[in-house]
Amino acid sequence: MKKRIQPIIIIFLASIFVVSPIILNKTPVLGVDGYFHYGRIYEAAMQIKHLNFSMLNLYSFQQSGRIVNEVYSPFLTYVLGIILLLSGSWLKFQVIINILVLFIAGISAYFVSRRLHLNEKFSIALGIIYLTSNAVASFLIVTGWRSIGLAFLPLMILPIFDMLQGNFKLKNSLILALAVSIQVQGHLLSAAFAIPVLIAPFVIGFIQTHNKWLMVRYLVMSVITSIILCLNSILPYLQLSKHNILVPPTRIDVTNGIFNPFDIFSTNSVSLLGSHISISENILAILSILGITTIITFWKRISILSRILIISGLTYFVLGSNLMPWPIIQLNLPEIMNFLQFSFRFTLVGEIFVLTGALLAMKEIVNSADFNFNKLLEFTVITMSIISVISLATSVSNNVISNYRQTTTVAQSAAINPKDLRLRPIDGHPVNTTTDLRAAWSNRDLSQLINTVDRTTPDYLPITKVNNNEDYYGLYTKHVLEKHSLFNKNVRSHGILHISWSQNKAHQIEVPVFVYKNTSVYLNGKKLDATTISKTPIGTINLNGIKGKNSLTLQYKTSHIFNFMIIVSDFSWLILICYFIFMNMLVRSDKKLSQSIS
C-alpha cells in the first residue's frame, strides 16, 4: 500500500511546488485566454447553482444571448463549474485547478510508464517532466484550455500498447474510447491531431494478430462508445454551424513566432505560451535528437512500441517546427489562419510521445547492454525532472511577481490589447492595475471578477455574412462592450434572458444581443422571426422600440431528441467511470484472494 501511495504523493507535491508562488503570494496568474475561459466556467457554475440550464450564456459574456459554452468543451466546463462553486473564490479555484491539471498530467504519464514496464523511479521522473512541459504548463501561464486535454494525452499510449500486444478485450476497447473521448472533450483540434497516431499501431496489430475479426470488433466497439461519449460536445456545434453563419476564430498568421522544438539551446518564449519557457522544452529537444539517433543506430534493439512513439512524436515536432514550409502552406490554404492559428499546436501533441518513446528506447538499450547503466540512467532522468520542476516554478514565480507589482495593468497581465478590454469600477473605485483587481479574486461574490473585466471575444457569433477583411474585434467593442451596460438584463427560469430599456419616442434601436436560428425572440410580448431580424455586421440586432418601457426576451429552444442525446452522452460518462472503478475493485479483491489462498 505504501509503495502504491508514494508515487501519488511525490507527483502531488511536485504539482503543489510549481503552484506555490501563487499560493504564497496570493496573487493569480492569468494570461491571454484566462478571462474568456473563466467567463465560461462562471456561466457553468451559475447554471448549476440556479438549476437553470440553457444553450445560451445567461450569466456571462455581457449577457448578450451568445452561445459560447456549447462550442467549447461543455461537459468539461460544467465539471469545472462545480469545482468553482466548491472553491468559493476565484483565487482558490485557480490554485486547485492548476494543481489538478498538473497532477493529472503527471499521474497519467506515470501510470502509462508503469504499464510499459518502466520502473517506479523512472516513471515518477517521466511524469514530472511531462507535467512541466509546455503541453501542460501553459495552463498555468496563459490558461491554455488545450492543456486540460493534453494532461490526459498519455492515456492514448495505452491503446497503442494494447493493439501491438493483441489485447482486444472489452476493457481495452473502452480504454481506447475513453482516451479519444477525453481529448475531444478537452480540445477538439488537439484531438484531431492526436487520433491519427493510432493508425500505424492498428495496422501493425491487425497484420500480426490471428484474431482479426476480434480486433475489428474491438475497434467498432471503441468507435461507437467514443461517439456516444462525445455527442455532448459535437452535437451543439453541428447544430449551430448547420443553421447559422458564424464568425470564424481569429485569423492569425501561422508564420509568426514558429517554435523550433529541436533547438536544444533555445531560451526564447513561445507565442501564447507565456513569458518564460520551462527547461523541460530543452530536455525534450535533447530527447528528440536522441530519439532520431536511437532510431538510426539501434533500430533492431528497440521495440516496435518505442519506434512508433518516437516516430510519431518526431512527426508532430516536424509539423510544428520551421522545418515545414508554412509560408507556402498558408498561401495556398489561408483557412489555417482561422483554425490552426499556431503551428506549435502540433508540437504540444508530440511531446508525450517523444518523452515516453525516447526514454523507453534508451531503457531497452541499457537493459540489453553488457554493462549495467540503469542507475546512471535513473540518476539522469530524476535530475532532469527536478530541474524541470524548479524551472517551471521559477517561471510561475516570475509571472506572479509581475502581477504583484502596482504598475502592472490588467491588459499587460493578460497580454490583451487595451482597446479590446473594458474595466468597470469595484465599489466605486476605478480598476486599471492588477492590484486594483486583487480584491475580486478573493471575494466570495464570484460575479465581481466577471462583471469588472469585459474582454472582446467575437468568435462564433451569428452574422449574415463572413467578411475576412472585417475587424470583428473592433466591431464587438463598439457594438457590445460600449453599449451593453445601457440595458437592464436579468435571468429568468427555463433559460430565459430578459432585456429591458426605455425610449423617449418610438424609433429603431440597436440592442447588443445576438439571435440564432433556434432562439425564440419576443419584443414587447410579440414573437419575432429570428431569421428576418435586421443585424449589424457583428450580429447585434436592430429593433423597432416603442415609446416608454420596452421588453425583450430570448430563449434557445432545442428538440426533445437533441436533449435526450445530450443526456445519454452525459450519463454514459458516469456509467463508464463506475465501470472502471468496479473493475479495479474486482481486480484488487481477486489479487487479495489469490494471495490468501497461496
Side-chain angles (χ1 to χ4, degrees):
M1 186 67 178
K2 186 178 179 182
K3 283 187 176 181
R4 203 172 289 165
I5 295 294
Q6 193 176 45
I8 296 174
I9 294 173
I10 293 172
I11 292 172
F12 185 66
L13 289 175
S15 303
I16 293 176
F17 180 75
V18 170
V19 183
S20 61
I22 298 174
I23 300 171
L24 296 174
N25 293 282
K26 297 181 180 179
T27 301
V29 174
L30 205 64
V32 65
D33 291 332
Y35 290 108
F36 175 76
H37 292 306
Y38 276 32
R40 297 193 310 102
I41 295 167
Y42 172 78
E43 175 69 30
M46 291 302 102
Q47 289 194 18
I48 293 168
K49 180 179 180 179
H50 300 288
L51 296 177
N52 193 10
F53 299 97
S54 173
M55 286 269 288
L56 299 180
N57 279 53
L58 302 171
Y59 303 91
S60 58
F61 291 89
Q62 299 81 41
Q63 293 185 290
S64 57
R66 291 185 61 178
I67 295 177
V68 181
N69 281 31
E70 296 301 325
V71 293
Y72 283 94
S73 314
F75 181 75
L76 179 59
T77 307
Y78 278 113
V79 173
L80 295 185
I82 294 172
I83 296 174
L84 174 60
L85 290 174
L86 295 174
S87 302
S89 74
W90 283 108
L91 183 61
K92 290 178 182 177
F93 170 77
Q94 183 174 105
V95 169
I96 292 169
I97 195 62
N98 281 346
I99 292 174
L100 191 60
V101 170
L102 292 174
F103 176 74
I104 288 171
I107 209 68
S108 297
Y110 165 80
F111 173 74
V112 169
S113 301
R114 292 295 286 155
R115 180 75 185 276
L116 301 183
H117 309 299
L118 295 173
N119 67 42
E120 189 172 279
K121 292 180 181 178
F122 206 86
S123 299
I124 293 172
L126 190 151
I128 290 174
I129 293 173
Y130 184 60
L131 73 83
T132 60
S133 68
N134 272 340
V136 180
S138 64
F139 188 79
L140 279 72
I141 309 299
V142 297
T143 323
W145 192 259
R146 71 186 77 84
S147 296
I148 300 179
L150 293 175
F152 290 95
L153 188 59
L155 299 180
M156 195 73 85
I157 297 174
L158 293 179
I160 295 175
F161 180 75
D162 290 334
M163 289 174 187
L164 297 175
Q165 295 293 315
N167 299 325
F168 307 132
K169 298 177 183 177
L170 172 63
K171 181 181 178 181
N172 303 108
S173 65
L174 293 179
I175 288 173
L176 171 57
L178 181 65
V180 171
S181 300
I182 288 176
Q183 293 310 303
V184 173
Q185 295 289 341
H187 195 249
L188 190 57
L189 188 62
S190 296
F193 292 161
I195 291 172
V197 80
L198 298 171
I199 296 174
F202 178 81
V203 172
I204 294 171
F206 187 78
I207 293 171
Q208 290 180 340
T209 185
H210 297 294
N211 299 312
K212 289 181 170 51
W213 168 243
L214 189 62
M215 188 170 187
V216 171
R217 192 171 66 179
Y218 154 87
L219 180 64
V220 171
M221 188 180 297
S222 297
V223 170
I224 293 173
T225 306
S226 186
I227 290 173
I228 294 172
L229 292 172
C230 296
L231 283 176
N232 54 18
S233 290
I234 296 173
L235 278 183
Y237 179 78
L238 290 179
Q239 185 184 76
L240 284 176
S241 58
K242 180 181 178 181
H243 299 295
N244 301 274
I245 298 173
L246 304 175
V247 174
T250 308
R251 288 171 68 88
I252 296 176
D253 189 343
V254 179
T255 63
N256 283 340
I258 296 177
F259 174 50
N260 183 1
F262 297 101
D263 190 351
I264 297 172
F265 303 106
S266 173
T267 56
N268 297 325
S269 62
V270 184
S271 176
L272 291 187
L273 289 184
S275 303
H276 302 273
I277 185 171
S278 168
I279 200 169
S280 63
E281 297 306 305
N282 302 79
I283 293 171
L284 284 164
I286 294 170
L287 290 176
S288 68
I289 303 301
L290 288 174
I292 296 171
T293 308
T294 303
I295 286 285
I296 295 171
T297 311
F298 301 105
W299 177 266
K300 292 184 178 180
R301 291 173 63 180
I302 61 176
S303 64
I304 296 176
L305 178 61
S306 296
R307 296 175 204 165
I308 288 176
L309 293 177
I310 293 171
I311 293 172
S312 298
L314 292 174
T315 300
Y316 286 116
F317 272 27
V318 170
L319 288 173
S321 74
N322 48 13
L323 296 176
M324 289 290 291
W326 284 114
I328 296 174
I329 295 172
Q330 181 174 279
L331 183 65
N332 290 280
L333 289 171
E335 294 82 6
I336 66 172
M337 288 189 284
N338 291 108
F339 297 99
L340 175 60
Q341 297 177 319
F342 313 103
S343 65
F344 65 72
R345 284 176 166 167
F346 285 107
T347 303
L348 299 182
V349 173
E351 289 189 338
I352 185 59
F353 301 117
V354 165
L355 175 61
T356 308
L359 292 179
L360 179 61
M362 284 189 283
K363 190 73 173 175
E364 290 168 347
I365 294 167
V366 165
N367 288 341
S368 64
D370 295 331
F371 299 99
N372 187 0
F373 291 105
N374 274 300
K375 288 295 181 183
L376 178 61
L377 186 59
E378 272 185 20
F379 175 81
T380 304
V381 176
I382 291 171
T383 303
M384 287 179 177
S385 68
I386 293 171
I387 294 173
S388 296
V389 167
I390 295 172
S391 170
L392 181 58
T394 303
S395 297
V396 173
S397 180
N398 288 336
N399 280 271
V400 166
I401 290 170
S402 175
N403 286 345
Y404 196 83
R405 294 192 189 104
Q406 295 184 354
T407 55
T408 302
T409 66
V410 174
Q412 289 171 338
S413 169
I416 299 173
N417 191 322
K419 72 181 181 65
D420 296 329
L421 196 66
R422 292 294 180 274
L423 298 170
R424 309 195 181 279
I426 295 179
D427 299 329
H429 300 288
V431 173
N432 183 48
T433 67
T434 52
T435 304
D436 300 329
L437 194 61
R438 192 170 295 157
W441 283 93
S442 301
N443 198 322
R444 295 193 65 83
D445 180 5
L446 300 172
S447 67
Q448 190 175 77
L449 178 67
I450 301 301
N451 294 332
T452 300
V453 181
D454 269 348
R455 188 200 159 186
T456 298
T457 48
D459 296 3
Y460 301 112
L461 293 174
I463 55 176
T464 54
K465 182 182 178 182
V466 175
N467 182 357
N468 288 326
N469 296 319
E470 192 71 82
D471 178 16
Y472 288 112
Y473 271 75
L475 288 175
Y476 190 90
T477 300
K478 177 182 177 182
H479 291 273
V480 182
L481 290 196
E482 295 179 355
K483 291 185 177 181
H484 79 93
S485 59
L486 303 176
F487 296 79
N488 299 314
K489 302 176 182 180
N490 61 78
V491 180
R492 297 180 177 178
S493 58
H494 306 294
I496 295 174
L497 183 62
H498 180 262
I499 301 101
S500 62
W501 70 95
S502 295
Q503 297 182 192
N504 294 327
K505 60 180 181 178
H507 62 82
Q508 189 178 73
I509 184 171
E510 179 191 346
V511 184
V513 297
F514 301 91
V515 172
Y516 299 82
K517 185 178 179 182
N518 285 11
T519 303
S520 180
V521 187
Y522 285 86
L523 176 62
N524 299 320
K526 180 182 177 182
K527 187 173 183 179
L528 304 181
D529 187 348
T531 60
T532 60
I533 296 175
S534 172
K535 294 183 178 181
T536 65
I538 192 61
T540 52
I541 60 177
N542 295 308
L543 301 175
N544 294 316
I546 61 173
K547 181 179 179 180
K549 190 172 183 179
N550 288 262
S551 173
L552 178 72
T553 61
L554 306 176
Q555 183 183 30
Y556 194 90
K557 294 187 175 180
T558 53
S559 65
H560 292 301
I561 186 66
F562 177 90
N563 295 332
F564 174 75
M565 293 174 78
I566 296 297
I567 291 171
V568 168
S569 182
D570 290 342
F571 272 99
S572 297
W573 280 95
L574 182 62
I575 293 169
L576 189 63
I577 292 169
C578 290
Y579 168 81
F580 280 117
I581 292 173
F582 174 76
M583 291 300 294
N584 188 47
M585 291 172 62
L586 198 64
V587 169
R588 287 187 179 183
S589 62
D590 287 344
K591 284 183 178 179
K592 287 181 180 179
L593 184 63
S594 61
Q595 286 173 359
S596 62
I597 293 173
S598 59

